[in-house]
Amino acid sequence: MDIDENAPVITRDEILIDAPLDTIWSLQTGISSWSEWQPDIDASTIEGPLEVGTVFRWQTYGLSIESTIQEIDAPRRIVWSGLAHGITAIHAWTMTPSEDRVLVHTEESWDGDPVRAEPEEMQQALDGSLRAWLRSLKHKAEAQTQGR
């Protein structure tokens, strides 16, 4: 599954992380532990195994979000979709290892009435959110690797 290329708000970003793929994958897919390393996530729970169709709930920036895993190709790709306050989101993560590093690429689309009403503000919010997520993932994965 890919993001909605026709959505009014789309963000693509990536970061190079000096850590093993397994470490990064474990952090990214350890959904119930997200709040331990991501300051912008207040809580998160997953209701079942990490597989297509599994639902997880999380809270960020005052929003309560229910997401569903749409695609999983461990340990290289995960895609989920969700709905929160009229915003339909599709979020894809791809991890590409090379030597001792991993390029983590993320892309997300937002659509819905709130997004169409304020596309510039929503674009800024999504850009900032994904940038912060990538930085937090890099920081945590590299810190864990240094601790080995």
Side-chain angles (χ1 to χ4, degrees):
M1 175 178 213
D2 293 317
I3 64 168
D4 178 358
E5 294 290 348
N6 297 314
V9 170
I10 294 174
T11 294
R12 291 180 173 89
D13 206 344
E14 59 189 25
I15 198 164
L16 193 59
I17 301 178
D18 294 312
L21 177 59
D22 290 345
T23 298
I24 297 164
W25 182 259
S26 177
L27 287 167
Q28 185 63 17
T29 60
I31 294 167
S32 60
S33 299
W34 281 353
S35 63
E36 295 172 11
W37 59 272
Q38 292 189 66
D40 297 330
I41 295 184
D42 300 316
S44 53
T45 58
I46 186 166
E47 300 174 5
L50 190 68
E51 63 186 24
V52 172
T54 297
V55 172
F56 62 95
R57 290 178 174 79
W58 50 300
Q59 296 170 341
T60 184
Y61 296 105
L63 296 175
S64 293
I65 304 169
E66 180 177 290
S67 296
T68 304
I69 298 172
Q70 300 294 334
E71 179 184 331
I72 191 161
D73 180 14
R76 298 185 185 260
R77 182 167 164 86
I78 187 166
V79 181
W80 61 74
S81 63
L83 181 65
H85 301 276
I87 300 170
T88 301
I90 302 171
H91 198 165
W93 293 87
T94 306
M95 288 85 171
T96 307
S98 63
E99 298 180 23
D100 292 337
R101 299 172 160 182
V102 176
L103 180 66
V104 178
H105 177 83
T106 187
E107 49 190 38
E108 185 169 2
S109 60
W110 282 4
D111 200 354
D113 290 340
V115 180
R116 292 179 184 279
E118 297 183 280
E120 295 83 15
E121 292 85 350
M122 293 291 187
Q123 185 70 61
Q124 282 186 323
L126 184 56
D127 289 349
S129 172
L130 293 189
R131 198 168 304 116
W133 191 316
L134 286 169
R135 280 195 306 258
S136 294
L137 180 61
K138 177 179 176 69
H139 177 77
K140 182 64 174 179
E142 291 179 354
Q144 279 189 0
T145 301
Q146 298 293 327
R148 289 184 177 181

